Amino acid sequence: MIYRFTCIVCPLGCSIEVEMEDGKVKEVRGCTCPRGKEWAIQEVTNPKRVVMSVVPVEGGALPTVSVKTAEPVPKEKIPELMKFLSKLKLKAPVKVGETVAEWEGIKIVATRGA
Amino acid sequence: MFPRIPMLSYDVVVIGGGPAGMAAAIRAKELGLKVLLLDENDYLGGILPQCIHPGFGLHYYKEELTGPEFASRLAKRLVELGVEYKTATRVLEIKNYSDLEKVVIFTSPSGAYQAWAKAVIYAAGARERHAFEIGIVGDRVSGIYTAGEAQTLMDIYGIMPGKEIVIVGSGDVGLIMARRFALEGAKVKAVVELMPYPGGLARNVMILRDFNIPLYLSHKVVEVRGKGRVERVKVVRVDENLNEIPGSEFWIEADTLIISAGLVPSVKKLKAIGVEIDPATGGPVVNDRLETSVPGIFVAGNSLLINDLVDYVAEQGELAAEGAKEFIENGGIESRKWVKVEKGENVRLLVPHYLSGDRDVYLYLRVSKPMEDVELRIPEIGKRMKLPVVKPAEMLRIKLRAEEIRKAKKLTVEVVKA
């Protein structure tokens, strides 16, 4: 199995190929730096993303507060996290950078005040 | 004149409270100018408060922030410095009586005002191209939004605009909205792109793979049908000259059509006072202080040219403020032999247009077509820079030193095979 993608670690945008055999990385081709290689391997073995959304807030200037996870979340767990976030409700005041919830040890941080 | 309208007096009036305008107002205040910032929204930040994804600020703040975080940092600084600002205002007119006498007429919830200023920094951003502009015909139905409208609904007001989505345009905004829809549980049925290559940054194109969203390159949406609400959209393939290929059309069922077909600088009020516009950028022709062809009128951010990084927008705001300071102090930007910068091979747009040679400058440019293993060259001064990949979607920012600029009477920038 060969995975092909454009590296997003830096603006160079190298075209990377990762060859997998029996669930293990056999070879990484095309990247020009170790950071890209590390990212490519993580991208095929355990891809992670920072997740963002909005949560309703009562009593704020705007009806929602935007939030993000303080660290990247395994990709396959994102739908579960979104379900958790969809049940959240906040009350003003909320400050930018404030932890408004926690999910499986991952902090959910407000990115907009209310 | 307007004798009954209260008269205010400033050194500089900044129009637009997005990142360009806020950065300009902050810098102007730091430089000791009396400044007023006006914005038509109820809140400061421009489009940033609705851009809840990360990827902002890597250059300007040296860390990765979301849009609202970037905006709140600027807003915090603005308030700390005591910059005077008014939201929910509408600028009706800019009057240019003389080089150091401008009047900005605006309305606000507390009434109409005229603000005298020695200089004006115009940072009103851009508008989105809409469905009619890209030739989509059909029923007049609800469920057609620009990407920015959909983003405002979802990420400011918490309202989902639809369930089954077709997105026109694979630029960054379209791709980011594809992710937002998918994350919030909507079905993104297609992203339709006219060009044979995706329009967005590689990191954003990856979103499509994350959510298994089909990308139709060399395709366009030509028609919308529905009773009251969007029900289906017609897609057709195009050839290399972007002409529709007969017989290639097919329908996609969807309740919502999102138009993400690019931005156009907002320059209506600048045109009205005779500011010269560059047809390539859609924004004004400027010198290296970001001063337009009307002395004392400066421009920054997406009103100048469509940027892809907010960091550059804020940088332009600061530069315009420094220009305004110099203009006010000296009663004008000293006339000098401006070095004209011209577009060479594979350069679609280029800003600023005139360089003084008395300061280092950043040139912002976009290529016309994607290329690999190229060199950016300025033959007049023998400058060469290797670039592994160039894409129209990614703006290039090149530093030129003052002494390099002074070497030539004119400079031509080209991007050619190495």
Side-chain angles (χ1 to χ4, degrees):
Chain A
M1 182 80 187
I2 294 176
Y3 295 87
R4 287 190 181 85
F5 37 74
T6 308
C7 184
I8 57 166
V9 172
C10 87
L12 279 181
C14 298
S15 298
I16 302 185
E17 278 185 9
V18 181
E19 194 174 340
M20 298 281 286
E21 217 175 69
D22 306 324
K24 278 189 183 145
V25 177
K26 197 181 156 205
E27 206 190 332
V28 183
R29 287 182 289 265
C31 47
T32 47
C33 80
R35 275 172 72 210
K37 187 173 176 181
E38 197 180 305
W39 173 81
I41 292 170
Q42 194 193 51
E43 192 53 32
V44 291
T45 53
N46 181 23
K48 288 180 173 184
R49 300 283 182 268
V50 168
V51 176
M52 59 279 154
S53 187
V54 290
V55 174
V57 64
E58 211 177 281
L62 300 175
T64 64
V65 161
S66 51
V67 296
K68 69 176 179 188
T69 56
E71 55 193 287
V73 177
K75 211 168 98 178
E76 82 274 1
K77 301 202 91 171
I78 292 175
E80 210 180 302
L81 167 64
M82 290 304 289
K83 249 181 219 155
F84 170 81
L85 291 178
S86 72
K87 291 186 188 106
L88 280 183
K89 277 198 176 87
L90 301 176
K91 273 194 178 141
V94 176
K95 275 191 185 148
V96 178
E98 191 179 320
T99 301
V100 295
E102 209 169 299
W103 175 79
E104 300 200 352
I106 292 169
K107 286 181 172 140
I108 311 296
V109 179
T111 58
R112 201 164 61 211
Chain B
M1 294 260 296
F2 306 90
R4 284 155 194 267
I5 301 181
M7 199 147 44
L8 314 164
S9 183
Y10 296 90
D11 290 320
V12 55
V13 171
V14 180
I15 299 171
M22 283 202 286
I26 288 167
R27 190 79 191 111
K29 182 81 178 182
E30 285 171 349
L31 292 170
L33 300 178
K34 190 181 180 210
V35 52
L36 172 68
L37 174 74
L38 299 174
D39 191 79
E40 64 179 7
N41 245 323
D42 294 334
Y43 47 86
L44 289 175
I47 55 160
L48 286 177
Q50 72 197 47
C51 300
I52 65 167
H53 53 282
F56 298 87
L58 278 170
H59 299 267
Y60 198 73
Y61 287 117
K62 311 284 176 228
E63 61 181 296
E64 189 167 22
L65 304 170
T66 65
E69 288 170 325
F70 193 102
S72 65
R73 286 210 185 179
L74 283 175
K76 191 170 167 241
R77 180 84 184 124
L78 196 88
V79 170
E80 271 170 13
L81 285 169
V83 174
E84 209 179 316
Y85 71 91
K86 285 176 186 287
T87 52
T89 63
R90 179 164 289 258
V91 170
L92 303 177
E93 200 182 349
I94 303 167
K95 285 181 177 286
N96 182 46
Y97 290 116
S98 74
D99 282 7
L100 286 165
E101 293 171 296
K102 328 275 183 206
V103 173
V104 178
I105 299 161
F106 65 95
T107 59
S108 85
S110 56
Y113 295 90
Q114 47 184 335
W116 285 81
K118 293 171 186 142
V120 170
I121 298 174
Y122 192 82
R127 68 166 180 84
E128 297 180 277
R129 297 213 297 157
H130 49 72
F132 299 138
E133 230 171 332
I134 54 169
I136 298 176
V137 300
D139 295 324
R140 203 165 171 141
V141 287
S142 66
I144 305 174
Y145 302 92
T146 65
E149 285 167 352
Q151 197 176 46
T152 308
L153 278 172
M154 290 173 89
D155 293 337
I156 298 286
Y157 297 102
I159 297 162
M160 273 300 278
K163 294 192 186 77
E164 296 195 306
I165 322 279
V166 171
I167 297 174
V168 177
S170 66
D172 293 314
V173 185
L175 296 170
I176 282 159
M177 285 316 290
R179 171 173 59 192
R180 282 295 293 139
F181 282 122
L183 271 175
E184 295 295 341
K187 172 95 186 133
V188 183
K189 302 194 91 173
V191 173
V192 181
E193 170 60 52
L194 180 65
M195 303 309 285
Y197 45 84
L201 305 172
R203 57 189 287 162
N204 291 329
V205 178
M206 247 182 46
I207 290 166
L208 300 174
R209 198 169 48 106
D210 276 3
F211 295 98
N212 295 316
I213 298 168
L215 169 65
Y216 293 92
L217 297 172
S218 295
H219 279 75
K220 68 194 271 197
V221 170
V222 290
E223 196 177 322
V224 188
R225 288 293 166 201
K227 286 196 178 80
R229 174 86 193 189
V230 176
E231 286 168 13
R232 58 191 189 281
V233 301
K234 189 177 172 181
V235 182
V236 60
R237 203 151 62 83
V238 299
D239 62 22
E240 58 269 32
N241 300 317
L242 308 183
N243 294 318
E244 294 169 25
I245 299 172
S248 68
E249 58 271 356
F250 58 96
W251 291 88
I252 301 176
E253 281 180 35
D255 62 14
T256 305
L257 180 67
I258 301 295
I259 311 295
S260 174
L263 303 169
V264 183
S266 287
V267 290
K268 223 165 129 186
K269 299 211 165 55
L270 294 180
K271 275 185 181 167
I273 50 169
V275 165
E276 188 190 342
I277 302 297
D278 173 357
T281 57
V285 172
V286 291
N287 62 27
D288 61 13
R289 268 67 165 183
L290 303 188
E291 185 188 30
T292 67
S293 62
V294 174
I297 304 281
F298 295 80
V299 63
N302 281 357
S303 289
L304 169 63
L305 85 168
I306 304 306
N307 289 270
D308 35 49
L309 294 182
V310 71
D311 307 72
Y312 298 166
V313 165
E315 174 180 286
Q316 290 157 16
E318 290 185 3
L319 183 59
E322 285 158 19
K325 163 83 173 174
E326 188 185 333
F327 178 85
I328 291 164
E329 257 180 10
N330 304 330
I333 300 287
E334 199 187 324
S335 63
R336 52 172 67 73
K337 280 182 191 153
W338 293 102
V339 178
K340 193 170 193 306
V341 194
E342 279 175 5
K343 293 176 284 182
E345 202 181 314
N346 201 20
V347 174
R348 184 163 62 89
L349 55 86
L350 182 61
V351 158
H353 306 75
Y354 294 95
L355 310 180
S356 59
D358 57 19
R359 58 159 55 198
D360 298 353
V361 293
Y362 286 115
L363 289 180
Y364 303 95
L365 61 123
R366 282 184 195 277
V367 296
S368 320
K369 53 180 196 289
M371 278 172 93
E372 281 179 25
D373 298 318
V374 289
E375 260 182 13
L376 181 141
R377 288 186 195 156
I378 306 178
E380 290 91 343
I381 54 170
K383 196 175 176 86
R384 283 164 168 238
M385 276 177 65
K386 274 203 187 327
L387 300 164
V389 194
V390 292
K391 298 171 189 168
E394 293 180 22
M395 197 163 83
L396 301 172
R397 174 170 161 276
I398 309 296
K399 191 169 187 166
L400 284 187
R401 282 176 292 114
E403 55 269 29
E404 287 181 298
I405 298 163
R406 280 198 299 267
K407 276 197 233 165
K409 285 201 176 67
K410 112 181 147 66
L411 299 171
T412 313
V413 181
E414 54 189 30
V415 177
V416 290
K417 269 280 174 210

